[in-house]
Amino acid sequence: MRFPALLTLILPALLPLAGATDLQLPCPSEMNKVKDILEVNCTGQALSAVPSGLPEDTGILLLNANRLTSVSTAAFLPLAALQDLDLSENGMVALHTESPLPSLRELLLSRNALVDLPNLQGLPALTRLTLAHNTLQNLAPEAFRAVPLLQDLDLRGNRLQTLPQDTFAGLRALKELDLSDNLLEELPKELLQDLEALETLWLSGNLLHTLPTDFFVEGHLFAYVFLTENPWHCDCNLFYLRKWILSNEGSVYQPERGLEKTKVEVAPEKVLCHSPPEHQHQPVIRFKADCGNVGDTDGDGYDYDEEGTPQKTTMSPSPTTHPAVPKEHTTTPHALTQPPLATTSPPISSPSSSSLAPSTSHAVPASTSTPSTATPAPVSSTITSTVQPPSTTPLLTSAPPTTFISTTPLTTAVSTSPPAPATIPKPALPPALPPALSQCPLACFPPAVPQHCLPLTRQGPLRSSNLHLL
């Protein structure tokens, strides 16, 4: 009968001890297989203060997903070997760094409520700092001068609108800089000047319209550059970026960020124009406009078809401007629709001893004189004609080019001896041509054509004002 009474007295005394034990449960720990240091995991325990009694040889301390709204580095002074500290996802509004942590190498402060960058003066060995998804609006000049060994700086997803030109001064060891998903509208030309070791640059997801000329240090090679999801304005001010992308296509990537990891792919053509409307949604590297001597000297030009698909064209040198040619010279030599006929015929003479030398030049009309209206003489291998003196009409007029077509083979036998009209037998003469044929086409006769028969053009028979002196 006494045992139950004693039990009722003992149990209430034991319950508070059990509750105290639950509150003071130690965070699990194990050796980190990658870094070979002790890792203590206090993730997601709803802690509102840094627990005490942690192992002094703790190298990695995980305090993420708790309720640590305000933290002082003084709480970590007993942990002399502390290298990595994760304080992300705590709703933190302030981090006080009066007490130095000389061995700390990685500090994770992502997904908190920090408005200002904490003082980094007591963290000289820091190599990685993540401040992603806070509410940072401004960064002071030389904000990271106290951490010259920094290699990885993550400022993604804040509210940064502008950056001083010397924001990252002194970070000569920095390899990765993430400025994505901010509100940056422009960047100073000197922003990257000190970042000699930079390999990865994130600029995607901002409000950038252009980049200043020489923004990227000349000769610097990047492994990854992210430029997508910006409202690039494709005008002459963007030629520098366009040319840089064309020269570094293998370094321009598009990110596909997931919950657990980020996938990237080479995608220089995914950097798109946002304005003006005629270039909207077109790749920046395909944009081409006539900007005079802006400095775009490459030879590849791009324009778009009616559906907006970029079409590549090759730019040719500008045509040379020649002095104006007087109108009277614009018809010489005549344009022929077939190669000029070369003849090996000997000179064809007339009784008046006027002769034409053998010709290998383009065929031209016989004379510039007015065609005879008399009955034409019979056609023969020896042509008797009266050569009139040259007309005073200006030579070389602007008549359209004349096309000569002969359907009769050159079969007329011609003597090879010197001109001797009396000894050359005359073949039988065809009947005299009627007057109606005085303006027949050249194709009506063999190559030896009487003066009265004019060549035809597409507009009809040539007039005397359109004939050219042989």
Side-chain angles (χ1 to χ4, degrees):
M1 295 297 294
R2 293 180 180 179
F3 180 76
L6 293 173
L7 188 60
T8 56
L9 296 174
I10 295 173
L11 285 176
L14 293 176
L15 287 175
L17 293 176
T21 303
D22 290 340
L23 292 175
Q24 298 297 325
L25 282 176
C27 300
S29 62
E30 63 178 353
M31 292 297 294
N32 186 284
K33 297 179 180 180
V34 176
K35 297 186 177 182
D36 195 27
I37 54 179
L38 183 64
E39 178 180 310
V40 178
N41 190 348
C42 299
T43 300
Q45 296 192 20
L47 300 174
S48 58
V50 177
S52 59
L54 297 174
E56 293 183 357
D57 60 343
T58 299
I60 300 175
L61 178 57
L62 306 179
L63 287 170
N64 55 302
N66 283 286
R67 300 173 183 174
L68 305 173
T69 57
S70 181
V71 176
S72 174
T73 55
F76 308 107
L77 288 177
L79 310 179
L82 186 62
Q83 295 185 20
D84 299 354
L85 177 59
D86 188 352
L87 293 171
S88 60
E89 299 181 74
N90 273 284
M92 184 185 303
V93 296
L95 175 64
H96 306 286
T97 58
E98 295 87 355
S99 301
L101 298 175
S103 63
L104 190 65
R105 296 174 59 85
E106 296 189 13
L107 177 59
L108 280 60
L109 298 172
S110 298
R111 299 186 183 279
N112 282 296
L114 296 171
V115 177
D116 298 313
L117 180 70
N119 188 349
L120 305 174
Q121 195 66 41
L123 310 172
L126 205 62
T127 60
R128 183 186 181 198
L129 175 61
T130 68
L131 291 158
H133 300 291
N134 281 273
T135 56
L136 301 178
Q137 298 182 7
N138 298 288
L139 293 176
E142 302 187 3
F144 304 94
R145 177 72 75 175
V147 286
L149 301 181
L150 199 62
Q151 298 180 15
D152 185 353
L153 177 56
D154 188 356
L155 295 167
R156 177 192 178 195
N158 282 276
R159 299 179 182 177
L160 299 172
Q161 297 182 12
T162 59
L163 294 173
Q165 65 181 29
D166 54 352
T167 301
F168 308 115
L171 297 183
R172 301 186 182 279
L174 192 67
K175 294 182 178 180
E176 181 168 354
L177 174 60
D178 193 342
L179 294 171
S180 61
D181 300 330
N182 278 277
L183 303 174
L184 296 168
E185 297 183 4
E186 59 182 1
L187 296 174
K189 174 182 175 181
E190 301 83 0
L191 188 67
L192 308 180
Q193 293 300 310
D194 279 3
L195 308 185
E196 300 173 352
L198 192 62
E199 299 174 354
T200 303
L201 176 63
W202 295 77
L203 295 176
S204 54
N206 280 283
L207 302 176
L208 297 171
H209 297 282
T210 188
L211 288 181
T213 302
D214 297 329
F215 175 77
F216 297 103
V217 178
E218 185 176 359
H220 187 96
L221 299 179
F222 289 88
Y224 303 92
V225 176
F226 300 90
L227 299 167
T228 56
E229 301 175 36
N230 279 288
W232 300 113
H233 183 71
C234 289
D235 63 2
C236 297
N237 292 325
L238 202 66
F239 268 143
Y240 168 74
L241 178 61
R242 173 186 176 272
K243 186 175 182 180
W244 187 90
I245 295 176
L246 287 172
S247 301
N248 298 270
E249 291 188 52
S251 301
V252 181
Y253 284 76
Q254 179 187 29
E256 294 182 6
R257 282 174 164 165
L259 296 177
E260 298 182 357
K261 61 181 180 179
T262 298
K263 297 188 299 182
V264 299
E265 61 175 350
V266 179
E269 294 196 5
K270 295 298 180 66
V271 184
L272 304 179
C273 300
H274 182 266
S275 59
E278 60 267 25
H279 299 302
Q280 191 172 22
H281 305 309
Q282 305 299 340
V284 167
I285 59 174
R286 305 301 185 209
F287 159 68
K288 187 72 174 179
D290 184 9
C291 295
N293 56 354
V294 172
D296 184 49
T297 56
D298 54 1
D300 292 334
Y302 300 86
D303 47 25
Y304 310 107
D305 59 17
E306 294 180 355
E307 298 180 356
T309 304
Q311 303 293 326
K312 183 173 182 179
T313 59
T314 302
M315 302 296 293
S316 59
S318 300
T320 304
T321 302
H322 298 283
V325 180
K327 183 175 180 181
E328 60 269 17
H329 292 283
T330 58
T331 57
T332 23
H334 292 286
L336 301 179
T337 58
Q338 60 182 359
L341 297 176
T343 66
T344 56
S345 304
I348 301 177
S349 60
S350 66
S352 60
S353 299
S354 62
S355 63
L356 302 176
S359 172
T360 59
S361 61
H362 303 293
V364 295
S367 173
T368 60
S369 59
T370 305
S372 172
T373 56
T375 303
V379 178
S380 66
S381 60
T382 301
I383 301 175
T384 302
S385 64
T386 302
V387 178
Q388 299 182 5
S391 172
T392 58
T393 304
L395 306 180
L396 304 177
T397 67
S398 57
T402 303
T403 302
F404 294 92
I405 302 175
S406 175
T407 58
T408 306
L410 300 174
T411 56
T412 304
V414 182
S415 173
T416 61
S417 60
T423 59
I424 297 177
K426 297 183 180 179
L429 300 178
L433 294 176
L437 295 181
S438 61
Q439 294 184 352
C440 62
L442 181 63
C444 300
F445 304 102
V449 183
Q451 181 179 354
H452 63 270
C453 189
L454 301 178
L456 290 177
T457 64
R458 293 181 181 180
Q459 291 77 22
L462 285 178
R463 303 183 184 279
S464 60
S465 61
N466 292 333
L467 295 178
H468 302 268
L469 182 63
L470 187 60

